Amino acid sequence: RMSADAQIELSAFNAKMMELGVSGATGAKMLENASLVMGMTQDESMALGAELAGLAGQLNVSLDSITSDFNAVMGDLAVYGKEAPQVFKKLVGASSQLGISVGDLVGSMKELDTVTGAATRAGRMNAVLGGMFMDTNELLNASYEERILLTKKAFDMSGKDFDNMSQYEKRIAAQAAGMKDVGELAKFMRQDMSELASAMKEAGDATGSIEEM
């Protein structure tokens, strides 16, 4: 049971989040996810909120949208335990660089959580790209953000160029990669690999302190 002092401290922190534009319900849900899903202490939970604020500032996006995205994908990222925030930050970096929502990226990459899912993705991608560019075990053992880079790497290694692909090729390539539509495929294929990796690393390195909020 939480002490009175701890409750006051947590309420004050949530009020600070609200001052930064985060709805009370969204902030409370983030703290609940940190505590109950990731097993964080109260101090760790508040530090996470500050870290998300630092990420929002670095990417020049609202803290409310970052926190809402965090809550929305936490059910899937819970498998990473206390490492989930680090995976999430890199996913946000990828989302910002690619122009594809965090939810859509997670939706595509979580399909690879089973042997069947990973084998199906690798098989379809290799058939579409015309070579052995994806490996089932590598996909299965990679984290969500690593799978994004593996997908981009496969497209690059194949030598395929989006503008020179037929409409049919584009549609089946998008389906093979687990993407929502051909628009997402275009964003992936036109993106520079090193810039994508750099954006993900920078987002992963984002920090923040409660004092600076």
Side-chain angles (χ1 to χ4, degrees):
R1 185 177 174 83
M2 194 182 297
S3 70
D5 286 347
Q7 286 180 334
I8 292 170
E9 186 180 23
L10 206 57
S11 295
F13 180 79
N14 208 17
K16 185 175 287 190
M17 294 276 284
M18 290 174 69
E19 286 175 17
L20 295 174
V22 180
S23 75
T26 299
K29 186 66 176 176
M30 184 277 293
L31 292 169
E32 178 185 294
N33 279 326
S35 172
L36 301 182
V37 177
M38 290 182 289
M40 289 184 165
T41 64
Q42 180 169 314
D43 286 345
E44 287 174 331
S45 300
M46 293 190 296
L48 169 61
E51 204 171 315
L52 295 180
L55 177 63
Q58 180 175 304
L59 295 177
N60 197 28
V61 296
S62 78
L63 178 56
D64 186 62
S65 68
I66 291 274
T67 309
S68 295
D69 282 344
F70 178 82
N71 289 336
V73 299
M74 191 40 53
D76 293 312
L77 298 190
V79 67
Y80 298 110
K82 288 188 178 181
E83 291 301 310
Q86 190 64 21
V87 174
F88 173 74
K89 289 193 297 178
K90 290 182 178 179
L91 286 170
V92 172
S95 170
S96 176
Q97 191 70 19
L98 290 166
I100 300 173
S101 74
V102 172
D104 283 345
L105 288 174
V106 169
S108 172
M109 299 307 154
K110 76 176 182 179
E111 293 175 4
L112 310 178
D113 286 344
T114 65
V115 173
T116 301
T120 299
R121 177 75 57 87
R124 288 177 177 173
M125 283 287 284
N126 289 336
V128 168
L129 299 179
M132 299 301 291
F133 301 111
M134 279 196 151
D135 178 76
T136 299
N137 287 331
E138 190 175 21
L139 286 176
L140 187 63
N141 294 319
S143 58
Y144 287 1
E145 85 279 7
E146 289 169 343
R147 291 169 182 170
I148 291 171
L149 293 175
L150 288 172
T151 302
K152 174 58 183 166
K153 180 182 176 183
F155 280 121
D156 286 359
M157 287 175 62
S158 75
K160 294 275 187 184
D161 178 72
F162 182 82
D163 293 321
N164 292 328
M165 294 167 70
S166 69
Q167 292 180 19
Y168 174 72
E169 282 182 304
K170 291 171 182 175
R171 283 196 293 271
I172 62 169
Q175 290 170 2
M179 294 175 184
K180 187 173 67 176
D181 52 38
V182 175
E184 288 190 356
L185 174 70
K187 291 173 180 177
F188 246 93
M189 294 188 72
R190 295 188 194 283
Q191 180 60 52
D192 180 81
M193 177 71 166
S194 61
E195 289 180 3
L196 175 60
S198 177
M200 291 170 70
K201 183 183 184 304
E202 287 177 13
D205 291 341
T207 59
S209 67
I210 295 172
E211 294 74 27
E212 292 170 354
M213 287 179 71

